[in-house]
Amino acid sequence: MGRVARSILGCQFLVRMVDEGGAPAAQQVFEEVAGEILRLMVDAVAHELVEKLVEYWTDEEVARVLQMLAASPDQVVAVARDHAGSNILQTLVGRMAGNPGHAELFTSTLARLGEHGVMSLIEHPDGSRLILKCLDTCSAYQNRFITAVVSSSFFLHRLCRDKHGSNVVNRCVDKAAGDEELLSSLAAAVCRDGFALAEDSYGNFVVQHVMSAVPEARGYLHELFRGRYVSLSRQAASSHVVQHCLELFSPEQADEIVRELLGCHRWDCTFHQLITDPYANYVLQTAMRRRGIQMHYPLLNAIGTHRNSLQDDRIAREVFRTLRKVLAGIDT
């Protein structure tokens, strides 16, 4: 029947058969294809039949499939890195929420892949979706194989710079909220490389996330960024980090950031250049919106003095528009 399932017409026939026959028909088809179920999961056509069968699988049938996966961990990687296969495994993981035994069996199978095997999933677009599903569904103990890899400084810096890895790191930070030791370990590892990550197109999102989730990390990051805020403000990725700093840091720390921006000449940059910079202008606009800091009025005055000379600059006009709104808010 596996050959039938791989053909378009045959697959359509079997799917219709299961639709019309319900659980008994699904069980009959499953028994016929069980020996090939892992290969069918990643087949361009037959995966549609497997997706239909999953809807009717009993706990016993789920256990059989999990045993097959456990018997061939290498095939788990192949299935998880396939778009359709990943969807099927995610559906299985969703079914495991009410069955700790199944969850333990599946996560222990993934753990047997080793650190590099888990990394190959985290950095893959489809494999990472399965890892995220595990983090959302399984217990912290069952997910320890993921957090062990992510919390390793050897892998963490690489993951933070990866599109899919950075999402997994952020989710691990969220899931570590109840584990102070793990949360501190993750935050410390990110902070140690905070400046380089802030400048990275994906790493900057991890730094911002840690800044929001772990207030204790803000002081360390401020020390790390001190004297570099002008440079960070003028880059695409890191300008977002500086904006986040201005929003979350203490008034005293925010004042220090604004002082650096106003004293930008010490870093070979004029304030005129900051106002017209495609990235720094957003930092200045965020700084203007930050109330309750001593440097608020000096900043507004400094920007206001450039209104006449930069009134024709497209970027500067946005800064002056924000200035007018802030001033209007103060007047009312």
Side-chain angles (χ1 to χ4, degrees), residues 146-158:
I146 302 173
T147 51
V149 171
V150 171
S151 60
S152 163
S153 58
F154 180 77
F155 292 114
L156 180 66
H157 300 158
R158 174 174 145 188

Side-chain angles (χ1 to χ4, degrees), residues 16-18 20 30 44 59 64 87 93 98-99 145 148 176 179 185 194 198 200 205 211 238 247 274 280 284 316 331:
R16 187 166 58 251
M17 175 180 164
V18 173
E20 295 173 355
F30 175 69
D59 284 348
R64 282 178 64 184
N87 287 340
V93 172
N99 194 317
F145 74 97
D179 185 337
S185 173
D200 185 79
F205 294 112
M211 208 184 293
S238 54
E247 292 167 345
L274 283 189
L284 292 176
D331 292 338

Side-chain angles (χ1 to χ4, degrees), residues 88-101:
I88 292 168
L89 292 181
Q90 288 174 68
T91 301
L92 280 179
V93 172
R95 291 273 302 272
M96 295 172 195
N99 194 317

Side-chain angles (χ1 to χ4, degrees), residues 19-36:
D19 272 333
E20 295 173 355
Q27 186 173 15
Q28 179 186 351
V29 173
F30 175 69
E31 291 299 333
E32 293 289 337
V33 301
E36 301 180 78

